[in-house]
C-alpha cells in the first residue's frame, strides 16, 4: 500500500563488500537483527583462503561486528551465534578468539563441523541479535 514501510529492512554495511549472491549481509525484522553467514572476506573483497585459521576467524568476527553496527546493534545484544568450521580441530583456536571478541556477552552458540566451506575457506559465522 502507498506510504507503508516494510517491517523488514536489509542491512548493507558501508565497510563490507556487497554479497556475491541474492541476499543481504543482514536483515532487521520485528526487533531482531539476522546476520547472514559471514565468510573471511575483507572489505576489499579478498577471500582469505590462504590465510591461517586465526586470521580467517578474526576477519569473520569483524564482518559480523560490522553488520551488527550497521543495523544499530552490537556484540552485547547477540542472542544466538552459529559457527561453521571446516575442521573441528579449529574449535579451540576459534573459542579463544571468540571469547576475546565477545567479552561479557554469552549468547547461545552452536559449533558445526562441516567439512569444506565455500571457496575453500575455514570458518563461517551467522548470528541473531536484538535490534536497538
Amino acid at each position: 500500500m502507498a506510504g507503508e514501510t516494510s517491517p523488514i529492512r536489509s542491512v548493507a554495511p558501508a565497510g563490507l563488500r556487497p554479497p556475491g549472491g541474492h541476499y543481504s549481509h543482514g536483515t532487521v525484522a520485528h526487533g531482531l537483527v539476522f546476520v547472514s553467514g559471514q565468510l573471511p572476506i575483507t572489505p576489499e573483497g579478498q577471500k582469505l583462503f590462504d590465510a591461517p585459521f586465526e586470521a580467517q576467524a578474526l576477519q569473520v568476527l569483524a564482518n559480523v561486528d560490522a553488520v551488527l553496527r550497521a543495523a544499530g546493534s552490537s556484540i552485547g545484544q547477540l542472542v544466538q551465534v552459529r559457527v561453521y568450521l571446516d575442521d573441528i580441530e579449529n574449535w579451540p583456536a576459534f573459542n579463544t578468539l571468540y571469547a576475546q571478541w565477545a567479552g561479557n556477552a554469552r549468547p547461545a552458540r552452536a559449533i558445526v563441523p562441516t567439512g569444506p566451506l565455500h571457496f575453500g575457506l575455514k570458518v563461517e559465522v551467522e548470528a541473531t541479535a536484538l535490534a536497538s
Side-chain angles (χ1 to χ4, degrees):
M1 302 195 133
E4 282 189 32
T5 59
S6 172
I8 299 172
R9 173 175 61 92
S10 292
V11 177
L16 293 184
R17 187 137 175 118
H22 188 74
Y23 64 95
S24 62
H25 282 297
T27 302
V28 178
H30 304 286
L32 295 172
V33 179
F34 299 91
V35 180
S36 293
Q38 296 297 305
L39 291 165
I41 300 173
T42 68
E44 298 77 32
Q46 179 185 6
K47 297 170 184 75
L48 300 180
F49 52 84
D50 286 333
F53 175 80
E54 290 79 3
Q56 290 193 33
L58 288 171
Q59 183 63 60
V60 165
L61 294 172
N63 292 352
V64 170
D65 187 46
V67 177
L68 291 171
R69 288 176 187 270
S73 189
S74 68
I75 294 168
Q77 293 179 286
L78 283 166
V79 175
Q80 196 275 336
V81 175
R82 191 169 296 116
V83 181
Y84 302 98
L85 298 175
D86 73 332
D87 186 337
I88 197 63
E89 296 296 321
N90 288 324
W91 183 85
F94 182 84
N95 194 55
T96 298
L97 295 170
Y98 177 86
Q100 293 168 356
W101 175 80
N104 291 330
R106 291 191 177 261
R109 185 181 79 179
I111 302 283
V112 183
T114 62
L117 291 167
H118 199 45
F119 304 118
L121 297 165
K122 299 178 182 299
V123 58
E124 181 174 354
V125 174
E126 65 177 323
T128 305
L130 297 176
S132 294

